[in-house]
Amino acid sequence: MRLTPWLNALVLILGALASFSLLAHGVDDDTRQFLTVNQGVSILPYLYIGAKHMLTGYDHLLFLVGVIFFLFRAKDVLLYVSLFTLGHSITLLYGVLADIHVNAYLVDAIIALSIVYKGFDNLGGFQRLLGYQPNTKAAVMIFGLFHGFGLATKIQEFNLPDDGLVANILAFNVGVEIGQFLALTVVLIMMSAWRRHSSYLNFATITNTLLMSGGLMLMGFQLTGYFSN
């Protein structure tokens, strides 16, 4: 069976995302310096940092690819993305503002597990092995909560000052949503073009297997970091 150009492109993209897992949520020197010394309300910088944070968050994006892979109606995409957004917004804001600390490696391992879960779900694994289909909406919402804690752990590394914290974190969260919107727009354009070809459904198994593989690689990396630290 010959792979189509669309599948080849997807393989390269997923492979790159898995290969560069070390760079996920990377904070460059300029951003690190700003977060370390900033005092008071800084809406625009935090909007920018939040958007960039999501755009480099390969684990979040891989999960979203899995979520929308078999969603063909705009209202379904909007519903599931809204559930994910609500989930990660709650725990991002609560985690930072209530100063709730969780182990970054463990929460990122759960985020990676969410990718594996969604790929497995898309392959009909639960029906085949258990004869049961978990509630997909509840799963997206619950995993969204863990994704939010993952975002919170990154921003908490900088011990942000209390002065202007609420406004800055709200701006950061809005920036995250802007980044998510931009990333999803690109993904949906690519998927919409691919869906016009029969290869989309023909290679659904391969695509979701790649998603699971990427998630397992990310989870292995995070668990290695947890046990070695």
Side-chain angles (χ1 to χ4, degrees):
M1 183 180 297
R2 184 179 178 183
L3 297 180
T4 67
W6 284 107
L7 184 61
N8 281 324
L10 186 60
V11 170
L12 290 174
I13 291 169
L14 292 178
L17 291 176
S19 299
F20 290 109
S21 61
L22 286 171
L23 299 177
H25 306 304
V27 178
D28 58 58
D29 291 339
D30 290 339
T31 302
R32 186 179 299 276
Q33 183 178 4
F34 170 80
L35 290 173
T36 302
V37 303
N38 178 70
Q39 298 289 331
V41 176
S42 302
I43 300 297
L44 290 179
Y46 274 90
L47 280 172
Y48 170 74
I49 293 170
K52 185 171 69 172
H53 199 74
M54 176 57 89
L55 289 171
T56 58
Y58 306 119
D59 44 7
H60 302 300
L61 300 182
L62 283 172
F63 178 70
L64 283 173
V65 168
V67 168
I68 66 176
F69 190 83
F70 282 126
L71 299 180
F72 296 93
R73 297 186 300 179
K75 68 176 184 180
D76 291 330
V77 173
L78 179 61
L79 172 61
Y80 277 85
V81 172
S82 297
L83 289 171
F84 177 70
T85 298
L86 177 62
H88 73 66
S89 295
I90 289 172
T91 45
L92 166 59
L93 296 173
Y94 176 69
V96 175
L97 297 178
D99 198 27
I100 304 298
H101 290 270
V102 294
N103 185 281
Y105 286 111
L106 286 181
V107 74
D108 282 347
I110 295 174
I111 290 172
L113 177 63
S114 72
I115 302 169
V116 179
Y117 174 95
K118 196 56 200 162
F120 185 73
D121 185 36
N122 287 345
L123 293 173
F126 292 104
Q127 285 284 8
R128 294 177 184 176
L129 292 182
L130 304 177
Y132 168 74
Q133 175 59 51
N135 188 306
T136 54
K137 297 183 182 66
V140 169
M141 177 72 176
I142 291 170
F143 278 125
L145 296 172
F146 285 103
H147 280 252
F149 273 126
L151 292 166
T153 59
K154 300 301 182 295
I155 203 71
Q156 285 172 320
E157 293 175 0
F158 299 95
N159 297 316
L160 302 181
D162 291 334
D163 183 22
L165 179 62
V166 174
N168 289 337
I169 291 304
L170 287 172
F172 177 81
N173 187 61
V174 172
V176 166
E177 308 315 328
I178 292 173
Q180 177 176 282
F181 173 79
L182 294 174
L184 271 177
T185 299
V186 174
V187 170
L188 285 170
I189 290 173
M190 294 175 62
M191 292 181 69
S192 296
W194 189 22
R195 282 171 175 170
R196 297 190 183 100
H197 300 267
S198 60
S199 62
Y200 187 80
L201 293 178
N202 292 340
F203 291 107
T205 299
I206 295 175
T207 305
N208 283 282
T209 299
L210 286 170
L211 273 180
M212 292 179 63
S213 299
L216 286 170
M217 291 176 64
L218 290 170
M219 186 165 61
F221 167 73
Q222 297 298 339
L223 291 176
T224 298
Y226 173 75
F227 288 112
S228 64
N229 286 276

